[in-house]
Amino acid sequence: MLRNKVRHVCTAVFLVLEAILYYFILTTNGQTLVICEYLAIVLCFVYALLNCSKKTLPIVAGLVFTLGADYCLVVADPIQQLFGMVFFIGTQTMYAIYLQNRSRSKVLLIIRIALVLLAEGIAWIVLGDKLDPLAAVSMYYYANLIMNLIEAFTMFRQEKLLSIGFVLFLMCDTVIGLQVACSGYLPIEETFLLYQIIFMPFHLSWFFYLPSQVLIALSAGKRGSAARHQPKAAD
């Protein structure tokens, strides 16, 4: 009972701290913004690590890769986009391992491979000579994120937090992907509504991103708590 109360207090403190950081992320700029963004992800990792079980270790490992990705994309100067996306592939691979361990579905694994090949094929057809390592890696990553979302939703009753977290993750990466595409690969006029939305003077990507990471961290804690409280099988 005491351990359960401590866990609830830990979760409450985690959520309060993340809410404070979320406010600063959405309202500040400069070095303060960078510190708040990275600290928020560090807290997600720490919370997941302290509350995980053996079954949810892949989620914790995914957050480790996320720390690496966000260092490259948020802290590093200049930003290391390619390395950041490679780290994010590690993130989605860890989440894929967790989901595959849960579902044990060969059909979903085949669909994942097909989706990755389809994404790379579309990138090659659409971009042609503009296809570079960053675009290829990004499409591989994006396809795995979509597949992780689909697979999580096949277990929605057991993985509500993770499922919603992946939806928000996808929304964040869609915003970033459109920003990158509009800046270099498929430029559009600044007068277009889509351009005005994705480049609005507001941290739109982090509006989705931080809640996604908080939900993913909470899912590791939730599953970990459930595993610890399962009754032991009789000898």
Side-chain angles (χ1 to χ4, degrees), residues 10-22 24-25 35-51 60 63-64 66-67 70 206 210 213-218 220-221:
C10 178
T11 300
V13 171
F14 168 64
L15 291 175
V16 169
L17 291 175
E18 290 290 6
I20 294 171
L21 290 169
Y22 191 50
F24 282 109
I25 288 169
I35 293 171
C36 289
E37 286 176 340
Y38 200 68
L39 180 58
I41 304 305
V42 170
L43 284 177
C44 287
F45 163 71
V46 171
Y47 175 84
L49 181 64
L50 294 177
N51 291 277
V60 179
L63 288 167
V64 172
T66 300
L67 285 173
D70 282 331
W206 276 84
L210 183 55
Q213 299 310 299
V214 169
L215 289 173
I216 290 170
L218 288 172

Side-chain angles (χ1 to χ4, degrees), residues 79-97:
I79 290 173
Q80 303 295 319
Q81 282 187 308
L82 180 58
F83 289 118
M85 292 311 303
V86 170
F87 272 115
F88 266 136
I89 285 177
T91 295
Q92 295 306 323
T93 299
M94 291 298 104
Y95 296 156
I97 290 171

Side-chain angles (χ1 to χ4, degrees), residues 52-69:
C52 71
S53 70
K54 185 177 180 179
K55 290 182 179 179
T56 58
L57 278 176
I59 295 179
V60 179
L63 288 167
V64 172
F65 279 104
T66 300
L67 285 173

Side-chain angles (χ1 to χ4, degrees), residues 11-167:
T11 300
V13 171
F14 168 64
L15 291 175
V16 169
L17 291 175
E18 290 290 6
I20 294 171
L21 290 169
Y22 191 50
Y23 170 78
F24 282 109
I25 288 169
L26 297 181
T27 59
T28 59
N29 288 289
Q31 193 62 28
T32 300
L33 174 62
V34 171
I35 293 171
C36 289
E37 286 176 340
Y38 200 68
L39 180 58
I41 304 305
V42 170
L43 284 177
C44 287
F45 163 71
V46 171
Y47 175 84
L49 181 64
L50 294 177
N51 291 277
C52 71
S53 70
K54 185 177 180 179
K55 290 182 179 179
T56 58
L57 278 176
I59 295 179
V60 179
L63 288 167
V64 172
F65 279 104
T66 300
L67 285 173
D70 282 331
Y71 181 85
C72 293
L73 299 172
V74 175
V75 179
D77 186 17
I79 290 173
Q80 303 295 319
Q81 282 187 308
L82 180 58
F83 289 118
M85 292 311 303
V86 170
F87 272 115
F88 266 136
I89 285 177
T91 295
Q92 295 306 323
T93 299
M94 291 298 104
Y95 296 156
I97 290 171
Y98 170 76
L99 292 166
Q100 183 63 29
N101 288 341
R102 298 269 289 133
S103 69
R104 304 288 182 182
S105 173
K106 293 182 179 179
V107 173
L108 290 173
L109 181 59
I110 293 171
I111 294 174
R112 180 184 296 275
I113 295 171
L115 186 60
V116 169
L117 293 175
L118 177 63
E120 294 294 347
I122 291 173
W124 181 75
I125 292 170
V126 172
L127 297 178
D129 293 339
K130 290 185 178 181
L131 183 64
D132 58 15
L134 177 60
V137 167
S138 297
M139 291 301 291
Y140 180 91
Y141 158 79
Y142 201 72
N144 275 285
L145 172 56
I146 292 174
M147 193 60 214
N148 283 342
L149 187 155
I150 293 171
E151 193 162 356
F153 267 90
T154 66
M155 302 177 282
F156 184 76
R157 291 184 63 183
Q158 298 80 30
E159 298 291 351
K160 293 184 180 68
L161 295 177
L162 195 60
S163 299
I164 298 171
F166 284 151
V167 170

